[in-house]
Amino acid sequence: MRDRSIPEATVGRLPVYLRALVEMAEHGTSTTSSEGLAEAAGVNSAKVRKDLSYLGSYGTRGVGYDVAYLIHQVRRELGLTQDWPVLIAGAGNLGRALVNYKGFGERGFRIVAMVDVEDGKVGERIGPVEIQDLSLLDEIVRSTEVAIGVICTPAAAAQEVADRMVAAGIRSILNFAPAVITVPEQVSVRKVDLSLELQILAYYEQRKAALEAVKDGLATLDLAGATAP
Amino acid sequence: MRDRSIPEATVGRLPVYLRALVEMAEHGTSTTSSEGLAEAAGVNSAKVRKDLSYLGSYGTRGVGYDVAYLIHQVRRELGLTQDWPVLIAGAGNLGRALVNYKGFGERGFRIVAMVDVEDGKVGERIGPVEIQDLSLLDEIVRSTEVAIGVICTPAAAAQEVADRMVAAGIRSILNFAPAVITVPEQVSVRKVDLSLELQILAYYEQRKAALEAVKDGLATLDLAGATAP
DNA sequence: CAGTGTGAACCTTTTCACAGCA
DNA sequence: TGCTGTGAAAAGGTTCACACTG
């Protein structure tokens, strides 16, 4: 435990642990075991122990973990002891939903600005933020010290918006547009693709249906019907 | 290439390839190489070739892949040659945004129903669907043959809604609620957690900031400030 | 001869299993 | 005694590199 860099897979689970821990704290639980946390987070206990061991030795053998202390450590590690100003590009349905999403504010992500290109939208106020013109992005980023940009534009506009964000100095981008965006390597990008998730579900759903057909004797074993020569 | 089951990691990338291929087809490109597809999908070419090899040998050595044919094969493999009726539970901002999201319909996901518990919402019409009472879920699933359920409720309601979905026979769930839901193992669940993604970005953003501070000589090398005894 | 398909090497992640400590 | 922390083994995923073929 002396390498400061935590495996990606672990970083991806820390927010899940954090949520589970916060919930425990709210219910008055002050101590938990790797087993208990595992259950609450939907993983197994070995994973929890290994993941937490990357942060340090914050547990007590024979007892477990102090919930409040662990919350603090996970928060610190994730960089959630500070607020992060966020800018949203694209004021469509999704962009609007995100502005109103309570979960962001609760976790220290403050949406400080929203930009769009449509004249009809610019000037409109959504909750506490006013939609501004995309051309002001650079200036907004500088004056509000935005660290994270969220892209909620149509796919066709995503790359241009990303380029502008990068030019303005943003180094972390969350991309909801169904498009691959290319950025310099020092910029982090994460993508959330709504229909991609449905497509993955469709794959497994189809597979289950096919499997049942076989069990019921309604079909032979050539599952998806592929027929290579 | 004789095992019908495709690695999870590959299944997760097939929709990305599909989108890239469809875009190519729309631009009139009829053939592509693993290199070309890799660039469009934001991965490397070895991965593309290996992934596609799980579907079969659909390329031509020295030439590449026929775009139209490959689209067909990927669609078939993902189960997108049929339509999938989808039900959304929770008519908040996100649920409403999803109903109006064009990307679903384009890919064969038809939102056939929407349910909520709030009296004020039930009866309201959002686009083509009317919000119905949650208690009707069972009946709706049977009559419309919904295969995929999407949870857009607050975290506190997620498990109950998931239970109802499972009881009604749904075997694929996409969960947007920031909560871990537990289901029988034959049910597939995928989750999309909006603030989780931001938290992951915050981690890397913080890391970059810390790294720069060190480079600029503003701090010593103890990156995140952890101080184990 | 360009570009696929694929074994083999490599790296990451998960799981096991148990020594070690409160 | 009970539960953490962690090496070691196993599984899964990625990349390399090249034989093979249209």
Side-chain angles (χ1 to χ4, degrees), chain A residues 37 52 63 92 144-145 158 185 203 221 229:
Chain A
L37 182 50
L52 295 183
V63 179
T144 60
E145 293 191 298
E185 71 167 328
Y203 171 79
L221 203 71

Side-chain angles (χ1 to χ4, degrees), chain A residues 1-2 4-8 11-16 18-19 23 39-42 55-58 75-82 84 86 93-94 96-98 100-101 103-104 107 109 147-150 155 170-174 176-180 182 186-209 212 221-228, chain B residues 1-2 4-8 11-16 18-19 23 39-42 55-58 75-82 84 86 93-94 96-98 100-101 103-104 107 109 147-150 155 170-174 176-180 182 186-209 212 221-228:
Chain A
M1 207 319 284
R2 217 70 293 272
R4 239 56 298 295
S5 82
I6 295 174
E8 267 186 58
V11 173
R13 282 186 297 266
L14 289 180
V16 180
L18 180 55
R19 202 174 57 205
E23 209 163 293
E39 178 149 355
L55 311 191
S57 292
Y58 298 136
R75 280 229 176 94
R76 189 181 50 63
E77 194 67 44
L78 284 173
L80 300 179
T81 46
Q82 62 181 286
W84 294 99
V86 174
N93 291 310
L94 184 60
R96 284 157 198 261
L98 294 183
N100 291 311
Y101 181 51
F104 288 161
R107 290 170 184 83
F109 299 99
I148 300 176
V150 178
I170 287 179
R171 285 173 310 182
S172 296
I173 295 177
L174 178 53
F176 283 93
V180 174
T182 310
Q186 74 273 17
V187 177
S188 316
V189 175
R190 296 195 59 92
K191 68 169 206 297
V192 174
D193 185 331
L194 308 176
S195 69
L196 183 143
E197 298 297 331
L198 286 182
Q199 291 174 61
I200 294 171
L201 283 174
Y203 171 79
Y204 291 107
E205 181 71 26
Q206 179 208 37
R207 178 148 293 261
K208 277 179 264 183
E212 260 161 41
L221 203 71
D222 186 26
L223 250 187
T227 34
Chain B
M1 203 318 284
R2 216 74 290 275
R4 236 61 292 297
S5 82
I6 296 176
E8 268 187 56
V11 172
R13 281 186 297 264
L14 289 179
V16 180
L18 180 56
R19 203 173 58 206
E23 210 163 293
E39 177 149 356
L55 311 191
S57 291
Y58 298 136
R75 280 228 178 94
R76 190 181 50 62
E77 194 68 44
L78 284 173
L80 301 180
T81 48
Q82 61 180 287
W84 295 99
V86 174
N93 291 309
L94 184 59
R96 286 157 196 261
L98 293 182
N100 291 310
Y101 180 52
F104 288 161
R107 289 170 184 83
F109 298 98
I148 300 175
V150 179
I170 286 179
R171 286 172 309 181
S172 296
I173 295 177
L174 179 53
F176 283 94
V180 173
T182 309
Q186 75 273 18
V187 178
S188 317
V189 175
R190 295 195 58 91
K191 68 169 209 292
V192 175
D193 185 332
L194 306 176
S195 69
L196 183 144
E197 298 296 332
L198 285 182
Q199 290 174 62
I200 295 171
L201 283 173
Y203 171 79
Y204 291 108
E205 180 71 26
Q206 179 207 39
R207 178 149 294 261
K208 278 180 262 185
E212 260 161 42
L221 203 69
D222 187 28
L223 251 187
T227 33

Side-chain angles (χ1 to χ4, degrees), chain A residues 39-123:
Chain A
E39 178 149 355
V43 301
N44 67 44
S45 63
K47 213 180 257 176
V48 168
R49 289 200 300 280
K50 181 123 290 181
D51 283 342
L52 295 183
S53 79
Y54 291 117
L55 311 191
S57 292
Y58 298 136
T60 307
R61 289 166 203 245
V63 179
Y65 302 90
D66 182 88
V67 172
Y69 184 56
L70 198 51
I71 287 175
H72 172 73
Q73 291 302 339
V74 175
R75 280 229 176 94
R76 189 181 50 63
E77 194 67 44
L78 284 173
L80 300 179
T81 46
Q82 62 181 286
D83 266 29
W84 294 99
V86 174
L87 174 146
I88 294 181
N93 291 310
L94 184 60
R96 284 157 198 261
L98 294 183
V99 173
N100 291 311
Y101 181 51
K102 298 286 191 304
F104 288 161
E106 283 167 14
R107 290 170 184 83
F109 299 99
R110 244 180 336 114
I111 293 163
V112 296
M114 194 160 191
V115 297
D116 201 300
V117 280
E118 264 184 55
D119 281 347
K121 290 176 180 170
V122 173

